[in-house]
Amino acid sequence: MKLSGKKILIGVTGGIAAYKIPILIRNLIKEGAEVQVIMTPDAHGFVTPLTLSTLSGRPVLTDFFDKKNGTWNSHVDLALWADLMLIAPATANTLAKMNHGMADNLLLAVYLSARCRVVVAPTMDLDMMAHVATQQNIAQLAASGVLIIPAEKGFLASGLTGEGRMPEPETLSEYIIHYFNHKSILAGTSWIVTAGPTFEAIDPIRYIGNHSSGKMGIAIADALAIRGAHVTLIAGPSSVLHKQPTIRREDITSAEEMLEAVEKHFAESDGLIMAAAVADYKPLQAHTKKIKKSETTFTIKLTANTDILARMGQLKQKQLLIGFALETHDAIKHAEEKLHKKNLDAIVLNSLQDAGAGFGYDTNQITIISKQQSPVTFPLKSKTEVAEDIVSFAENLFHT
Ligand code: CTP
C-alpha cells in the first residue's frame, strides 16, 4: 500500500465535480491512507455527507460546532493532524477566499491553520476560470506555496467545452501517491539563506544602502522550506514577508550583523545561499550623534566589510555554498572567477541587461555556473519560479 499511515484532509467545495470525490476517497483508503473530509455548506448539494463519511469511515465535518452534541470541531487540531490537505473541487469562491485569508467556514479556517502542504484542484466553468480575478487568485496561491492541479480541458457540466474540468479521481490519487513517494533529498537538511540589502550607518539618521528588495532571497527560502528543508532566513531591511511558517527569520541591518548571524548557524548547516546584496564597504566611523552640515563638501572614509561568502568558503566542510553575482560586462568570466576565489559550489549570475530582471522586479533572468557543468541559462521567469530552479539545482548538487 502506497499511502500507509498518511493522513489526508479532503476539502470539498460546492462544485458539480464533487460527484467524483467518493471514488477518490475509495482509492486513497485502498492505499492505506486515513481520510478526513471537510465540506463547505454548499458542497452538500452536490454529494451527500453520508456517502463521504461511509467511504472515509469518519464523520464528515462542515460546521465549527456540533450543535446537537455541544462539541467543537477544532480547526487547529484538524490542520495539525494532516500530512496533506487536498481541496477538490476548489471553486472560484473558495480560491478567492483562500487567497484573501478569509475564514467564514470550517474548511477555510483549517486551510489557514494548515502546516502541511495544501493542494487545490481549481474546477469551474470556463469563463469563471479564465477571469482575471480567478487567474490572479490561483497565481498568488501558487506563489505562496499552494500546489495547483491544473484543470483539464473538455466537456463541462454547463454544456460548454473548455478548461475547467476536475481531473478524474484516478489522476488525483496518482498525484497524491507521487507526492508522498518522491520526497526531496533536501527534506530535513538545514539551510541558511540571506536576503535583502544591508544598511551601513553613517550616523543615527543616515546610512549607505542599496536597492535590493529581498524578493529573490526570500523566494529561495520559501522554495527550500516547501521541499521540507529547515531554513534560517537572515534578512537585511526588507518589507517582503516570507510565506512558509516553518522558516526561522532573523532580521539584521548591517553586513557585520549578517556575518555574525551566518557564523552562528554555519557549523550546523548543510548549505548557504547568499542572495543578499551585502555592502562591500561601511563608514570607517559611525557617528553616534547626527552630523551637522558645515562644509560645502563632505567626505566619508569607508572601510571594507568582511566578504561573508569568502569567509564561509574558507570554513566550509560539508556545506554547499551558492553565491550570487551581478555583473555589467564579461559576466560569465567574472562570475567564474568569483566561484573559484570564494570556493563556491555554484554561483547565480543575475542579469541586469534584460528588461524586468534584477532589483525590485518580480521577475529575474539567471545563469547558474558551477564547478561540475557548463553554465545553464534560464529564461526570464517570476522570482518564485527562479527560486524553484535554483533550489532544484541545489538538489542536483546535493545528489552528486
Ligand atoms: N557577498 C558577501 N559579503 C560581502 C559582499 C558580497 O557574502 N561583503 C556575497 C554576495 O551575497 C553575493 C556574492 O558575494 O552572493 C557576490 O557579491 P558581489 O558584490 O557581486 O561580488 P564581489 O565579490 O563583492 O565583487 P565585486 O563587487 O567586485 O563584483
Side-chain angles (χ1 to χ4, degrees):
M1 290 201 288
K2 296 174 189 145
L3 294 173
S4 260
K6 298 296 180 217
K7 300 185 176 78
I8 302 170
L9 270 179
I10 299 192
V12 186
T13 73
I16 180 63
Y19 79 87
K20 298 180 180 176
I21 297 302
I23 313 274
L24 170 67
I25 294 173
R26 264 184 72 79
N27 291 349
L28 299 178
I29 297 272
K30 269 199 231 155
E31 291 293 350
E34 291 179 52
V35 176
Q36 172 65 60
V37 179
I38 306 175
M39 299 174 85
T40 60
D42 282 348
H44 289 229
F46 295 94
V47 60
T48 76
L50 181 63
T51 309
L52 301 186
S53 64
T54 308
L55 291 169
S56 64
R58 289 168 175 266
V60 166
L61 307 175
T62 295
D63 300 315
F64 286 103
F65 301 99
D66 181 343
K67 289 184 189 115
K68 234 193 284 164
N69 299 317
T71 51
W72 179 50
N73 295 320
S74 165
H75 57 278
V76 177
D77 290 348
L78 282 163
L80 293 179
W81 172 84
D83 298 313
L84 182 74
M85 181 175 191
L86 168 73
I87 303 176
T91 57
N93 183 42
T94 290
L95 292 166
K97 288 182 183 174
M98 285 170 71
N99 187 36
H100 290 92
M102 292 172 72
D104 63 356
N105 62 43
L106 181 66
L107 173 52
L108 290 163
V110 173
Y111 162 69
L112 287 178
S113 315
R115 291 201 187 161
C116 62
R117 280 311 285 269
V118 178
V119 186
V120 294
T123 308
M124 62 204 76
D125 205 43
L126 78 169
D127 293 314
M128 283 178 99
M129 182 68 87
H131 196 283
V132 65
T134 308
Q135 288 302 314
Q136 272 170 4
N137 287 328
I138 294 173
Q140 277 166 23
L141 286 170
S144 67
V146 171
L147 297 174
I148 313 289
I149 303 181
E152 293 178 351
K153 282 195 180 127
F155 181 67
L156 302 170
S158 60
L160 299 172
T161 300
E163 190 183 327
R165 272 173 64 91
M166 190 173 83
E168 294 306 314
E170 290 70 23
T171 311
L172 297 180
S173 36
E174 269 164 30
Y175 183 99
I176 292 172
I177 289 167
H178 185 270
Y179 170 82
F180 280 114
N181 292 292
H182 288 83
K183 265 216 157 123
S184 165
I185 191 170
L186 300 179
T189 59
S190 298
W191 287 77
I192 304 170
V193 179
T194 66
T198 65
F199 288 177
E200 310 300 322
I202 298 170
D203 69 10
I205 321 291
R206 291 91 161 198
Y207 61 83
I208 296 174
N210 59 65
H211 291 299
S212 168
S213 64
K215 282 180 190 165
M216 193 62 253
I218 291 170
I220 292 171
D222 277 321
L224 278 167
I226 284 169
R227 295 192 197 198
H230 305 296
V231 181
T232 302
L233 168 64
I234 299 167
S238 164
S239 57
V240 178
L241 301 174
H242 61 277
K243 289 164 186 146
Q244 295 305 309
T246 56
I247 292 175
R248 285 176 306 176
R249 178 169 181 155
E250 294 184 17
D251 290 311
I252 54 86
T253 305
S254 65
E256 210 171 305
E257 288 168 7
M258 184 170 278
L259 171 66
E260 229 171 82
V262 170
E263 275 180 333
K264 190 171 73 187
H265 297 286
F266 191 68
E268 284 81 48
S269 71
D270 297 293
L272 164 67
I273 302 184
M274 281 288 308
V278 188
D280 287 326
Y281 294 95
K282 66 177 176 190
L284 186 59
Q285 184 197 3
H287 292 256
T288 50
K289 293 201 178 99
K290 186 182 173 199
I291 303 168
K292 302 299 283 178
K293 66 173 169 295
S294 49
E295 311 295 327
T296 47
T297 61
F298 182 71
T299 308
I300 302 172
K301 196 154 193 185
L302 302 177
T303 179
N305 275 320
T306 303
D307 188 315
I308 304 171
L309 200 50
R311 166 78 64 88
M312 297 308 129
Q314 290 162 355
L315 295 179
K316 95 171 193 186
Q317 291 177 332
K318 59 174 179 176
Q319 292 88 351
L320 211 67
L321 282 198
I322 301 180
F324 272 70
L326 195 65
E327 308 289 344
T328 50
H329 57 280
D330 295 332
I332 302 263
K333 183 173 157 267
H334 286 139
E336 272 171 351
E337 278 165 13
K338 281 180 194 169
L339 176 82
H340 294 290
K341 200 173 83 195
K342 300 192 188 193
N343 192 20
L344 310 180
D345 296 280
I347 190 153
V348 180
L349 177 61
N350 269 302
S351 163
L352 263 191
Q353 257 72 315
D354 295 76
F359 286 151
Y361 286 104
D362 287 326
T363 46
N364 203 5
Q365 198 273 308
I366 59 160
T367 299
I368 306 184
I369 300 161
S370 65
K371 283 181 181 158
Q372 282 94 338
Q373 45 176 294
S374 42
V376 186
T377 298
F378 297 83
L380 185 75
K381 295 182 179 188
S382 75
K383 284 190 174 166
T384 310
E385 290 169 309
V386 173
E388 289 292 330
D389 289 338
I390 294 169
V391 169
S392 296
F393 201 92
E395 209 167 46
N396 287 335
L397 286 176
F398 224 76
H399 274 294
T400 50

